[in-house]
């Protein structure tokens, strides 16, 4: 049964190896995942995102904090933040886009 996006009384079987998830397309890490993935992936925490916007200069989406650039967001583009640690936010481009890290100074609430 699903109540407010949460599965109650659901059970999940460990039935063998799982295909590796595409970390650049699905907002899931070993410690947390987007709430829409509850019942699909198993992690300790599921998070409801908070939407931020890229600033006037746009933003660089990176694979890791300070790492390889994956994409450049146009000014005002939406970014759904799932975690903030240090000077970076982790999440996905609004609308189910690419997943990665953005420096907090490039985002506006």
């Amino acid at each position: 049964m699903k109540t407010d996006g949460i599965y109650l009384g659901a059970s999940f079987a460990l039935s063998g190896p799982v295909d590796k998830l595409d970390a650049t397309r699905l907002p899931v890490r070993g410690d947390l995942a987007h709430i829409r993935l509850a019942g699909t992936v198993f992690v300790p925490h599921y998070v409801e995102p908070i939407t931020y916007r890229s600033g006037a200069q746009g933003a660089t989406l990176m694979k890791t904090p300070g790492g390889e650039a994956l994409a450049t967001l146009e000014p005002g583009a939406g970014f759904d933040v799932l975690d903030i640690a240090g000077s970076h936010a982790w999440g996905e481009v609004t609308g189910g886009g690419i997943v990665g890290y953005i420096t907090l100074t490039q985002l506006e609430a």
Side-chain angles (χ1 to χ4, degrees):
M1 177 171 83
K2 187 174 182 181
T3 303
D4 293 330
I6 300 171
Y7 288 89
L8 301 176
S11 62
F12 301 94
L14 299 176
S15 58
V18 177
D19 292 333
K20 184 160 176 68
L21 300 173
D22 182 356
T24 61
R25 293 288 174 193
L26 279 180
V28 60
R29 299 188 317 204
D31 61 336
L32 62 90
H34 192 295
I35 189 71
R36 78 170 185 263
L37 298 175
T40 305
V41 298
F42 181 72
V43 293
H45 306 283
Y46 298 94
V47 181
E48 186 73 35
I50 298 172
T51 301
Y52 284 68
R53 298 270 170 215
S54 59
Q57 302 300 315
T60 302
L61 184 69
M62 299 167 285
K63 187 173 185 174
T64 60
E68 172 189 351
L70 296 173
T72 301
L73 278 66
E74 297 292 325
F79 186 70
D80 295 337
V81 174
L82 297 165
D83 186 34
I84 295 175
S87 61
H88 291 84
W90 177 76
E92 72 176 327
V93 176
T94 300
I98 301 173
V99 175
Y101 292 85
I102 293 180
T103 305
L104 287 174
T105 57
Q106 296 181 322
L107 294 174
E108 299 174 353

